[in-house]
Amino acid sequence: MDNAYVVPLADGVDWVGHVDWTVRDFHGYRTARGSSYNAYLVRGEKTALVDSVRAPYAGGLVGRVAALAPGGVIDYVVCNHAEPDHSGSLPAVMAAFPGAALVCNARCLEALSLHYDVSGWRTRVVSDGETLSLGGRTLRFLDTPMVHWPESMATYLQEDRILFSMDAFGQHIASSERFDDQLPLHEVVDAARTYYANIVAPHGRPVAAALGKLGVLGAATIAPAHGVAWRGHVGEIVGLYRDWAAAKARRKVVVLFRSMWGSTRAMATAIAEGAAAAGGVSVKLIDVTATHDTDTVTELMECAAFAAGSATLNQGMTPEMARTLCYVRGLKPRGKKGLAFGSYGWAEKAASAIDATLAEMGVERVSPPITSRFAPDAATLGKCRDAGGKLAEIALGA
Ligand code: FEO
């Protein structure tokens, strides 16, 4: 689809970003549905471009802005976040609109200067809460540190009650639609959940702080930097963000495993069966070789308890389980309980290594690791089922 189109959010406020239909990787996050880099042109007596797009798509952005801006001129370029998916086109934008001043906070300017040659740019550094009048329209800048980087900021268009929220509330969705009420809600919420789990989750406390700050604004539209804007379901997504930021758990148990010859798989299945037998608990059994870590971490985000197991390979856990746990650990799951398990032949190494990794993650283990030398016997499978039941009890209390 041609990206050379614009979409109004309000009279004089237009989406001018880029839909990336084919991107499938975002530093390890599998973006199965593509994404968009959202930029917005706000026209008062003066004109501001809020955010920009990835470097390869700068030409399209510049063309759209030049066509829409009165006289082909803009006065301000607001940069809410220095990560290159939003700043990569700034060198081209600042060159195309030399009269425009880049507006950002001090930390953002420092980060930009470490990415690009900013020496020829006109800049205006703004502080938390500062406003900028466009004449008839007012932008208010609000620091939202760690959502998603330390320099991140949101911009609120006061008169139109539009919050340009940067990464927060985003979803990796490529679509011709630009609003939440133009797509099935479950698709947008699923994408927002996956986005939160893979991008925002490590920063739950800063997110809660940002929600408190942004909540007082009473935005009617939340326009993030990726995916569609929220206007039909603002209350729902803010409520979900509150739950996610608080690491609120659902009645859910996840069992992760990597097997070699079926022994660890049998243990995993018994744990999952034991959890399911408790009733009232959602149980997910995930073979980490068959599930992308993007989806695994999303499943883990709202679970109350989980188990992770691996066969022992070369005196350690399997590389696949190590990779998954490395990814999970980086996203800093909070408030989880769990257990390690696994099979071995001559030396038990995998389950104990997983147990140590869970401890490093801050996961409260509900029992010592469950291990099996080669194929699990009936007694070991019984232990696994009991452990599943224990995980389910925890989830039922969540
Ligand atoms: Fe979409 Fe943190 O960048």
Side-chain angles (χ1 to χ4, degrees):
M1 178 174 289
D2 184 4
N3 269 294
Y5 60 93
V6 298
V7 179
L9 270 73
D11 188 29
V13 183
D14 294 286
W15 177 91
V16 291
H18 179 87
V19 177
D20 195 341
W21 297 93
T22 58
V23 64
R24 291 292 179 272
D25 177 72
F26 234 92
H27 41 64
Y29 174 170
R30 187 186 58 161
T31 49
R33 288 176 270 203
S35 192
S36 69
Y37 316 109
N38 298 335
Y40 304 93
L41 195 69
V42 181
R43 284 166 287 162
E45 290 167 21
K46 294 191 171 181
T47 301
L49 173 65
V50 179
D51 296 321
S52 68
V53 301
R54 229 168 157 151
Y57 313 117
L61 173 68
V62 166
R64 287 187 285 284
V65 170
L68 269 182
V73 170
I74 59 174
D75 302 283
Y76 303 107
V77 178
V78 176
C79 180
N80 282 316
H81 181 22
E83 194 165 10
D85 51 330
H86 308 294
S87 69
S89 61
L90 283 180
V93 169
M94 298 309 288
F97 303 101
L102 181 86
V103 179
C104 64
N105 64 30
R107 286 180 116 173
C108 186
L109 185 57
E110 183 198 11
L112 291 174
S113 72
L114 297 170
H115 281 87
Y116 317 109
D117 177 5
V118 305
S119 58
W121 299 2
R122 299 177 61 219
T123 57
R124 175 167 174 164
V125 172
V126 291
S127 305
D128 184 36
E130 193 171 330
T131 58
L132 174 66
S133 175
L134 301 180
R137 281 192 152 115
T138 313
L139 300 177
R140 177 182 291 273
F141 307 107
L142 297 145
D143 289 342
T144 54
M146 299 317 295
V147 190
H148 152 234
W149 276 7
E151 88 312 348
S152 293
M153 177 176 94
T155 297
Y156 188 55
L157 176 54
Q158 294 186 164
E159 291 77 5
D160 302 85
R161 296 172 58 208
I162 298 173
L163 177 67
F164 302 109
S165 59
M166 185 32 58
D167 281 337
F169 306 106
Q171 334 90 46
H172 281 315
I173 296 178
S175 64
S176 56
E177 294 82 0
R178 295 265 50 87
F179 293 99
D180 59 340
D181 51 15
Q182 296 170 326
L183 289 172
L185 181 60
H186 70 91
E187 277 184 25
V188 187
V189 168
D190 280 354
R193 177 182 287 108
T194 304
Y195 187 93
Y196 189 98
N198 284 271
I199 300 281
V200 189
H203 314 300
R205 290 181 183 91
V207 170
L211 287 172
K213 183 186 269 190
L214 303 177
V216 301
L217 299 172
T221 302
I222 296 178
H226 299 287
V228 296
W230 301 89
R231 67 177 180 191
H233 304 281
V234 169
E236 288 97 317
I237 190 61
V238 170
L240 285 169
Y241 257 65
R242 285 194 200 290
D243 288 350
W244 296 336
K248 191 170 168 184
R250 293 201 297 117
R251 293 179 165 184
K252 179 175 178 182
V253 170
V254 176
V255 181
L256 312 177
F257 74 96
R258 167 40 159 148
S259 198
M260 281 173 64
W261 296 108
S263 299
T264 298
R265 175 186 292 272
M267 297 171 82
T269 303
I271 293 169
E273 285 171 354
V281 176
S282 174
V283 179
K284 295 278 179 167
L285 179 61
I286 294 176
D287 178 347
V288 298
T289 66
T291 306
H292 198 280
D293 288 340
T294 303
D295 302 316
T296 298
V297 81
T298 305
E299 292 290 356
L300 283 171
M301 181 172 78
E302 294 176 292
C303 79
F306 71 99
S310 170
T312 292
L313 176 71
N314 299 332
Q315 304 223 24
M317 71 177 93
T318 54
E320 295 85 1
M321 181 54 73
R323 181 209 63 222
T324 295
L325 292 179
C326 176
Y327 190 67
V328 172
R329 181 172 51 198
L331 291 162
K332 298 186 172 64
R334 280 191 287 147
K336 308 284 185 216
K337 296 188 179 178
L339 68 90
F341 65 96
S343 62
Y344 65 99
W346 293 271
E348 194 295 296
K349 296 289 182 182
S352 50
I354 292 172
D355 189 63
T357 304
L358 297 184
E360 281 170 25
M361 276 188 217
V363 174
E364 184 184 329
R365 274 98 64 242
V366 300
S367 76
I370 304 174
T371 61
S372 175
R373 185 162 185 226
F374 292 120
D377 58 14
T380 305
L381 291 176
K383 238 192 239 182
C384 290
R385 274 190 289 274
D386 290 348
K390 194 181 275 189
L391 297 178
E393 255 175 54
I394 292 162
L396 285 169

